[in-house]
Amino acid sequence: MQYLSGEYWKTFDIWKNVEKSEWENWKWQLANRLTDLEDVLKVFNLNKEEIETFRRTSSIFHFGSTPYYISLIKDLNDRNNSIRKQIFPLYEEIDERIQSYGKLDPFLEDEMSPVEGLTHRYPDRVLFRATNFCSVYCRHCMRKRMFLEDERARTKQEYDRMFEYIRENKEIREVLLSGGDPLTLPNKKLEYILKNLYKIDHIDIIRIGSRELVVNPYRFFDEELLNLFDRYDKVWLVTHFNHPDEITNITRKAVKNILSTGTPVLNQTVLLKGINDDEKTIENLMRDLLRVKIKPYYLFFCDPTKGVVHFRTPLDRGIEILEYLRGRLSGLGIPIYAVDLENGLGKVPLSPNYLLDYSDGIATFRNYEGKIVRMQVEFSNLDDILTEEGKRRVL
Ligand SMILES: *Cc1c(COP(=O)(O)O)cnc(C)c1O
Ligand code: SF4
């Protein structure tokens, strides 16, 4: 967790004349995103090779960041900084020797789409891609294919077709608003979506997947948005923190605002090589999330998306990390480790194995310290007594 004090951004040359009322305004953050090499050179010192790499890679996969997110980088010259690595285009991303192992749409989200913009994989939930714009383009994004297209929100007509499908399919209980980042949409457009989903009686939950809390927390100081959350009280927010440096005193205040509207806040982390793939970093991240009252939900094995392959860890890295967390960290802070199966076959939770043997009503467990414990877990006589016949005999 980082503490940002006063008008801390004024220590950066590029933002030294930015007023508090500007910096803390989410629209200013969006309007003043850094989007190209020229912007980047105002903040970072790059050598010739880095400049060339930046140019080549970002001409394929866009670059973009809010000033706030960049201001969280503790040392601008540190190439290993975890925030820098999440936004900085590197050659690995377009190196075919690496990326040919990936696919642009490994989960067939576009193919398994009954109406453009919707992915209906599980019977009771539908993924609703509201826009393909994000205020930060994460290098590890699983929907990196959308960086290749023009940035745009969908039209009202497209939304209307999506609502109609949801209205007609009564088994859908939850709509997962995603993108891109749906909270980069203007409030009016967001309200249009919420209002229409709200009218569909069989929808219980509207889950908003957004990274704005990480990259532009000032979004949640916008009274209009908080008002929407208050009125449309089916909303849950799922955010995407990957590293403890991303959590600040501003985050804490923003979460407080969100919680005051009755909206729960959960987090999904992606396990990323060289960024957070070690026990200590994940432990600190989960602790900091709890401190600001965000519930860790998923820890994902990095997806096999083209452009992201170099961030993948061994599959069992996540299992080892969970093993380390158990017993050391509040159970509230332990996420579900999961891998998404290719071809849209769904997510699979993975966990250390604590049940070593189980037969004849006796189980052998391994506890968090590695102690082996045998325990009788079923009692056959008890079953007998609990039958109707057994009860009568007692009476
Ligand atoms: C991940 C995902 C969901 C949500 O899954 P949960 O386990 O409920 O978080 C729904 N639809 C699609 C297409 C997904 O990829
Ligand atoms: S904010 Fe989410 S959707 Fe947007 S680039 Fe980052 S990971 Fe991808």
Side-chain angles (χ1 to χ4, degrees):
M1 187 157 172
Q2 299 198 56
Y3 189 81
L4 307 172
S5 62
E7 302 187 355
Y8 75 98
W9 59 88
K10 294 197 168 171
T11 58
F12 293 84
D13 239 13
I14 173 176
W15 301 308
K16 63 174 189 273
N17 295 321
V18 176
E19 297 301 326
K20 189 173 161 73
S21 58
E22 295 174 310
W23 184 266
E24 296 184 348
N25 180 328
W26 71 276
K27 290 182 186 162
W28 184 92
Q29 289 286 337
L30 275 190
N32 288 278
R33 292 163 70 238
L34 285 74
T35 57
D36 58 22
L37 182 62
E38 203 186 323
D39 294 338
V40 164
L41 288 173
K42 289 180 195 154
V43 186
F44 296 94
N45 289 317
L46 301 184
N47 62 34
K48 252 201 170 129
E49 199 188 321
E50 289 171 321
I51 289 178
E52 188 44 36
T53 301
F54 188 100
R55 238 196 223 114
R56 276 181 74 181
T57 306
S58 64
S59 74
I60 298 175
F61 294 118
H62 300 171
F63 165 81
S65 176
T66 55
Y68 170 85
Y69 194 58
I70 288 181
S71 79
L72 301 181
I73 300 176
K74 286 173 177 164
D75 172 3
L76 289 173
N77 287 316
D78 177 7
R79 268 74 179 160
N80 267 323
N81 179 279
S82 293
I83 290 171
R84 178 175 173 142
K85 279 185 167 172
Q86 289 183 61
I87 51 173
F88 226 84
L90 294 183
Y91 182 66
E92 285 98 300
E93 270 174 57
I94 54 169
D95 184 341
E96 268 305 307
R97 291 170 306 171
I98 303 171
Q99 302 303 343
S100 59
Y101 291 104
K103 294 181 191 154
L104 274 176
D105 184 9
F107 309 118
L108 307 182
E109 286 183 334
D110 290 339
E111 228 170 278
M112 293 172 84
S113 185
V115 172
E116 202 187 319
L118 287 182
T119 304
H120 194 180
R121 180 185 297 166
Y122 301 109
D124 72 324
R125 281 155 284 176
V126 71
L127 184 73
F128 186 115
R129 276 170 287 136
T131 173
N132 64 5
F133 176 78
C134 292
S135 45
V136 161
Y137 286 112
C138 312
R139 306 329 295 176
H140 59 272
C141 181
M142 56 97 85
R143 292 205 188 102
K144 218 159 166 168
R145 64 183 186 281
M146 79 194 167
F147 299 17
L148 305 168
E149 303 159 12
D150 285 337
E151 296 167 347
R152 70 174 189 97
R154 291 186 192 280
T155 60
K156 273 204 165 117
Q157 288 70 29
E158 286 176 294
Y159 289 148
D160 290 344
R161 281 196 290 275
M162 293 155 85
F163 300 139
E164 192 174 315
Y165 177 86
I166 297 168
R167 204 176 304 119
E168 283 169 2
N169 287 274
K170 296 202 167 34
E171 75 278 18
I172 300 174
R173 309 295 295 270
E174 172 173 349
V175 177
L176 221 160
L177 276 189
S178 176
D181 197 319
L183 293 185
T184 60
L185 291 173
N187 294 329
K188 269 219 166 68
K189 207 148 192 171
L190 190 63
E191 173 154 28
Y192 183 75
I193 298 174
L194 294 177
K195 188 175 73 192
N196 278 282
L197 293 177
Y198 221 71
K199 282 193 227 150
I200 306 175
D201 281 341
H202 53 272
I203 297 304
D204 299 331
I205 297 175
I206 301 170
R207 184 191 325 183
I208 299 181
S210 167
R211 219 177 174 206
E212 285 300 279
L213 186 58
V214 186
V215 301
N216 189 8
Y218 304 112
R219 183 69 175 106
F220 305 95
F221 291 79
D222 172 14
E223 287 298 331
E224 256 178 43
L225 179 74
L226 296 173
N227 225 303
L228 283 181
F229 281 5
D230 209 24
R231 273 187 291 139
Y232 296 100
D233 65 359
K234 295 177 182 177
V235 172
W236 292 54
L237 182 67
V238 178
T239 179
H240 176 32
F241 286 92
N242 289 327
H243 193 276
D245 284 358
E246 295 171 337
I247 302 177
T248 71
N249 47 313
I250 315 285
T251 321
R252 186 203 278 273
K253 277 198 197 150
V255 176
K256 207 159 183 181
N257 291 347
I258 302 164
L259 291 176
S260 76
T261 68
T263 305
V265 189
L266 294 94
N267 185 67
Q268 299 182 162
T269 297
V270 183
L271 194 58
L272 298 167
K273 187 172 175 174
I275 291 180
N276 63 10
D277 59 337
D278 64 283
E279 281 79 354
K280 258 321 245 198
T281 303
I282 296 288
E283 180 189 352
N284 289 338
L285 172 62
M286 299 307 155
R287 282 195 192 283
D288 285 347
L289 287 170
L290 291 181
R291 284 164 80 191
V292 300
K293 289 204 183 157
I294 300 175
K295 165 76 185 98
Y297 175 37
Y298 273 125
L299 173 66
F300 285 121
F301 177 58
C302 183
D303 293 327
T305 304
K306 204 181 189 65
V308 175
V309 172
H310 57 298
F311 283 122
R312 276 158 76 91
T313 64
L315 180 65
D316 58 3
R317 195 73 277 269
I319 300 177
E320 289 163 358
I321 290 174
L322 282 201
E323 173 97 55
Y324 169 89
L325 294 180
R326 179 63 59 188
R328 193 181 303 262
L329 171 69
S330 162
L332 289 176
I334 300 184
I336 302 166
Y337 180 49
V339 52
D340 215 339
L341 300 181
E342 278 180 41
N343 301 323
L345 292 167
K347 295 181 179 69
V348 175
L350 298 174
S351 133
N353 186 21
Y354 295 110
L355 179 63
L356 304 180
D357 186 61
Y358 167 46
S359 56
D360 301 328
I362 300 201
T364 307
F365 300 100
R366 186 174 58 90
N367 82 347
Y368 68 98
E369 299 161 304
K371 280 202 181 114
I372 308 293
V373 180
R374 259 167 71 84
M375 215 165 92
Q376 185 160 8
V377 289
E378 280 144 37
F379 306 90
S380 51
N381 312 353
L382 190 60
D383 285 350
D384 187 40
I385 296 166
L386 287 173
T387 59
E388 282 309 309
E389 179 54 33
K391 278 183 199 157
R392 262 200 299 280
R393 255 186 282 145
V394 177
L395 291 173

